[in-house]
Amino acid sequence: MDQSLLTNIQVVLVEPQHPGNIGAVARAMKNMGLSRLVLVNPPENFRGQEAVRMALNGADILEKAQTFSSLEAAIAPMGLVIGTSCRPGKERFPVYTPREIVPRVLATARTNRVALVFGPERSGLCNEHLDLCHLLVRIPSSEAFPSLNLAQAVMVLCYELYAACAQESIPPASCMVPADTVQVEQMYADLQDFLLQIGFLDPQNPQRIMRALRRLFGRAGLTSREVSILRGIIRQVRWYSERGHQTATRSRDLGTERLPPVETTAEDAKG
Ligand code: SAH
């Protein structure tokens, strides 16, 4: 069985509260062949007795866990970020089951790093955290009490990934390079500024539409080149509206170059 892909998949716990849960997460990861644990603002004693007791043979994962002070920093180099929630609101759709998401996670993990993001025990991931995720997963569970224990939720996702690897049902690598989170966030910032400028977004609540766009692009799985093209289009439209249609037409008639879009070659813009 080829487990090497699992090393490209990391579990990110955002503001976990209980060291015992963090230890239990390390154990679940060890059981299922994952090894990279990332903690965003963990409690001080996250490597203490309680955590080590719950981690058992996963103590090495706890020992090597990386810590960050923001989710944004923790996921910066990731090609795919999967958020988890037991109660997605109406703006958070579509939501996948763990089994549905596995092919995309493993295909991406062949060439890139993937983050599985889990929220704090008390409140779960907030909207700002969920906005940073490309896709959302909900573990089907009883309506009477849908919220799983943090480590058990981690276990369900890790199990599905391990089982797919064990069955050798790993999709082939995609030849496309996913954009990393930093590039994608820069694009959203450009897009939001631009859509505010043209009056498309409600300045009181720009996130309503921005969230829908994030879901759309998250589903599409943008490549680095596609992000450059989209940013180039935004820049070109801005330039066109500021400098006037005439200038653009004249430069085309004269066969002169258009404004080169940001980080985009002329070839990219045509393609
Ligand atoms: N009390 C919170 C639940 C937090 S449980 C609430 O009501 O939202 C801690 C974390 O475990 C969640 O943030 C999520 O990452 C994960 N989790 C728990 N149940 C889940 C489920 N059914 N599907 C997906 N993730 C779940």
Side-chain angles (χ1 to χ4, degrees):
M1 159 179 172
D2 179 12
Q3 278 189 42
S4 59
L5 286 186
L6 297 176
T7 57
N8 262 349
I9 302 170
Q10 65 187 43
V11 169
V12 181
L13 305 183
V14 179
E15 292 160 25
Q17 292 157 318
H18 304 297
N21 274 341
I22 303 173
V25 165
R27 178 184 184 167
M29 291 173 65
K30 189 81 176 185
N31 287 145
M32 296 298 140
L34 278 81
S35 52
R36 289 184 189 215
L37 176 60
V38 168
L39 305 170
V40 177
N41 297 328
E44 259 177 34
N45 54 345
F46 76 90
R47 288 195 185 100
Q49 232 182 7
E50 178 64 3
V52 171
R53 193 175 67 79
M54 294 301 283
L56 290 175
N57 282 359
D60 62 320
I61 294 181
L62 203 56
E63 208 46 53
K64 285 182 299 186
Q66 277 185 292
T67 58
F68 289 89
S69 57
S70 73
L71 176 58
E72 215 154 354
I75 60 173
M78 301 290 136
L80 178 62
V81 182
I82 308 287
T84 56
S85 176
C86 61
R87 43 168 188 167
K90 67 177 162 65
E91 285 163 345
R92 299 185 193 164
F93 282 91
V95 187
Y96 299 87
T97 64
R99 207 160 291 173
E100 285 167 344
I101 212 79
V102 161
R104 176 110 173 238
V105 171
L106 293 178
T108 308
R110 281 188 180 275
T111 50
N112 276 81
R113 288 165 69 186
V114 179
L116 308 174
V117 183
F118 297 84
E121 294 89 332
R122 201 174 307 129
S123 53
L125 292 169
C126 63
N127 281 340
E128 287 64 35
H129 291 144
L130 288 168
D131 284 346
L132 295 170
C133 302
H134 303 147
L135 296 169
L136 296 181
V137 167
R138 178 155 53 96
I139 300 164
S141 52
S142 163
E143 269 180 37
F145 187 28
S147 165
L148 276 70
N149 161 270
L150 174 59
Q152 291 174 349
V154 171
M155 177 50 119
V156 172
L157 263 85
C158 294
Y159 165 74
E160 290 292 349
L161 291 164
Y162 182 86
C165 289
Q167 290 162 6
E168 312 285 344
S169 54
I170 305 171
S174 156
C175 55
M176 300 194 298
V177 183
D180 66 36
T181 306
V182 174
Q183 286 177 294
V184 176
E185 285 305 314
Q186 283 166 348
M187 181 193 81
Y188 288 136
D190 287 354
L191 190 59
Q192 179 166 329
D193 283 352
F194 174 64
L195 295 178
L196 278 168
Q197 190 187 342
I198 64 169
F200 188 80
L201 296 180
D202 173 3
Q204 303 307 317
N205 187 13
Q207 290 315 323
R208 197 173 67 83
I209 300 288
M210 286 307 296
R211 274 197 185 115
L213 293 172
R214 280 172 179 272
R215 295 287 85 87
L216 166 67
F217 289 126
R219 222 155 58 233
L222 293 174
T223 64
S224 218
R225 182 168 179 271
E226 287 161 349
V227 169
S228 293
I229 292 172
L230 286 167
R231 294 186 75 195
I233 291 172
I234 296 167
R235 189 155 173 258
Q236 184 84 18
V237 173
R238 267 210 168 118
W239 174 83
Y240 180 87
S241 62
E242 280 159 18
R243 302 274 294 275
H245 177 235
Q246 266 194 335
T247 322
T249 313
R250 198 168 52 237
S251 58
R252 198 172 48 236
D253 289 347
L254 295 171
T256 51
E257 278 294 303
R258 292 178 299 164
L259 176 79
V262 122
E263 290 167 28
T264 311
T265 62
E267 214 33 59
D268 274 339
K270 278 179 217 143

